[in-house]
Amino acid sequence: MKKSDFYFDLPERLIAQHPLQQRDSSRLLVLDRASGNVRHQHFTDLLSYLSPGDCLVMNNSRVIPARLMGQAEGRTTPIEVLLLNDRGNGLWECLTRPGKKTREGVRLSFGDGLLTGVVESVNPTDGNRFIRFQHEGIFLELLDKLGSMPLPPYIREKLDDPERYQTVYSKMPGSAAAPTAGLHFTKELLERIKQKGIKLAFVTLHVGLGTFRPVKEEEITDHIMHAEWYTIDETTAKTINDTRVSGGKIWAVGTTATRTLESIADEAGTVRAESGWTDIFIYPGYHFKAVDHLVTNFHLPESTLMMLISAFATREQIMQAYHQAVQAEYRFFSFGDAMLIL
């Protein structure tokens, strides 16, 4: 398939620049895969589609202040560093700008030396830098002091409350971008969902930029996904497997939860507790094993996320639904409205 098969025209005015005052007041476009019918509802209507015994699976990763501003040793030019993946022992995969100032061996300083780093290597495929950081104290506490929230480039307005770019159930720090489908949930709505007899289960996938990188190749099968770290514990695996055995449905909140489940499920949809790196690329023709229904946001044209949801439904259904969403002036992308694919 071609990248251009997933293009749609989106007026810039429909790109949401700020979150709604109330998280769950967003709109919800409901696509029924069996019939192809589309309904226009509100996010709180999600509750009416869930049945007792179902399981809602969410990504509890928390966005870290991953954008750092510093200087290269002996230079005054500002260097921007975006932390992508924690490789352990102080080594991070990073995106740097300007890249020509961060060649291998370059030493970097942030916050007048509170945090320093050395560029150990450069990935020849994508230009990402592997930087080894040195510091005293707790790294995440230093990030809280020196870093800033890495909002997507299409959001140009200042975010007054950084917590609005976190889900209410975020727990495990490590993401460079929010799992945005979960931004619509409030604690009150989650409580109502539990009271109805729906189980809540949490996986962790630390969102890097690989999920959001533009697809440059015209043949989508030539695109290479970047790996992201995930973990699923015994409690979550048991909850999901028990749900399937008892006949309940698995509802994935977001493409990151979907990719995590599909990375670890066997052909019967059984998942196991494990941690690791996944570079799974889901596009039309993929056979889903673990996910029955999907809650997601509206995605960028020609993105891997558009390809994933086009695999979950069909490309034709998704393009038709997106056309209706544009016509109805839904809000798009991270702070936008939501979509439910049944």
Side-chain angles (χ1 to χ4, degrees), residues 6 26 32 34 39 42-43 54 71 151 182 219-220 227 237 269 274 281 323 326:
F6 302 91
S26 52
D32 187 326
R39 291 186 290 277
H42 292 90
F43 192 79
D54 288 351
Q71 291 85 34
L151 292 177
E219 291 289 343
I220 67 172
E274 68 171 38
F281 181 18
H323 176 73
V326 170

Side-chain angles (χ1 to χ4, degrees), residues 26-31 43 46 56-57 179-185 212 251-258 293-300 303-306 308-310 312-313 318 322 330-334 336-342:
S26 52
R27 299 165 72 186
L28 180 70
L29 186 149
V30 182
L31 170 62
F43 192 79
L46 172 67
L56 201 64
V57 182
T180 55
L183 296 179
H184 306 279
F185 288 92
F212 304 98
W251 298 67
V253 176
T255 56
T256 58
T258 299
H293 304 296
L294 173 60
V295 181
T296 187
N297 272 21
F298 290 96
H299 305 298
L300 277 72
S303 65
T304 60
L305 306 182
M306 278 291 291
L308 185 153
I309 63 171
S310 296
F312 194 72
I318 292 298
Y322 268 54
Y330 275 69
R331 303 168 78 245
F332 275 69
F333 305 161
S334 296
D337 294 313
M339 182 177 187
L340 170 60
I341 308 177
L342 296 173

Side-chain angles (χ1 to χ4, degrees), residues 10-234:
L10 180 68
E12 189 172 347
R13 71 178 187 279
L14 298 185
I15 300 174
Q17 292 296 313
H18 54 81
L20 296 175
Q21 186 172 2
Q22 178 69 15
R23 287 177 183 262
D24 59 8
S25 63
S26 52
R27 299 165 72 186
L28 180 70
L29 186 149
V30 182
L31 170 62
D32 187 326
R33 290 180 291 170
S35 65
N37 291 337
V38 168
R39 291 186 290 277
H40 302 281
Q41 300 191 258
H42 292 90
F43 192 79
T44 50
D45 294 321
L46 172 67
L47 189 60
S48 66
Y49 292 95
L50 293 157
S51 298
D54 288 351
C55 180
L56 201 64
V57 182
M58 294 166 280
N59 180 9
N60 65 2
S61 183
R62 186 169 175 82
V63 185
I64 59 175
R67 178 168 280 117
L68 292 164
M69 297 301 297
Q71 291 85 34
E73 188 176 58
R75 297 179 180 270
T76 57
T77 304
I79 301 291
E80 180 181 8
V81 174
L82 181 62
L83 306 175
L84 299 180
N85 289 313
D86 182 359
R87 296 290 178 165
N89 297 319
L91 184 67
W92 281 78
E93 183 179 3
C94 304
L95 193 66
T96 63
R97 191 164 51 186
K100 63 182 179 180
K101 303 293 185 181
T102 52
R103 296 188 175 91
E104 185 174 330
V106 168
R107 297 181 177 276
L108 302 170
S109 176
F110 310 89
D112 295 325
L114 286 176
L115 178 66
T116 60
V118 178
V119 180
E120 290 198 349
S121 61
V122 178
N123 188 325
T125 303
D126 55 25
N128 287 353
R129 270 55 176 171
F130 290 90
I131 300 176
R132 180 87 60 182
F133 289 97
Q134 297 89 34
H135 58 89
E136 293 185 3
I138 300 173
F139 185 66
L140 288 178
E141 290 183 356
L142 273 177
L143 286 187
D144 285 336
K145 183 174 183 179
L146 302 177
S148 61
M149 192 66 72
L151 292 177
Y154 50 76
I155 296 177
R156 300 183 182 91
E157 295 186 9
K158 184 178 182 296
L159 182 62
D160 294 328
D161 180 7
E163 280 300 309
R164 293 306 308 273
Y165 195 56
Q166 307 278 12
T167 63
V168 297
Y169 48 79
S170 65
K171 182 179 179 181
M172 308 299 291
S175 279
T180 55
L183 296 179
H184 306 279
F185 288 92
T186 63
K187 291 181 179 179
E188 293 75 17
L189 180 57
L190 289 173
E191 186 58 36
R192 289 171 60 198
I193 289 171
K194 286 194 294 183
Q195 288 175 358
K196 189 175 178 178
I198 290 93
K199 292 169 276 191
L200 305 183
F202 297 94
V203 299
T204 302
L205 182 137
H206 290 320
V207 187
L209 290 191
T211 302
F212 304 98
R213 275 188 185 276
V215 177
K216 297 180 180 178
E217 299 80 4
E218 184 57 26
E219 291 289 343
I220 67 172
T221 52
D222 293 335
H223 178 71
I224 299 174
M225 292 285 286
H226 286 70
E228 295 165 310
W229 175 261
Y230 70 87
T231 185
I232 174 172
D233 62 25
E234 293 282 358

Side-chain angles (χ1 to χ4, degrees), residues 258-265 280 282 286-291:
T258 299
R259 293 177 65 243
T260 303
L261 294 176
E262 294 298 322
S263 294
I264 58 178
I280 187 171
I282 298 176
Y286 178 84
H287 169 66
F288 285 83
K289 306 180 289 292
V291 178

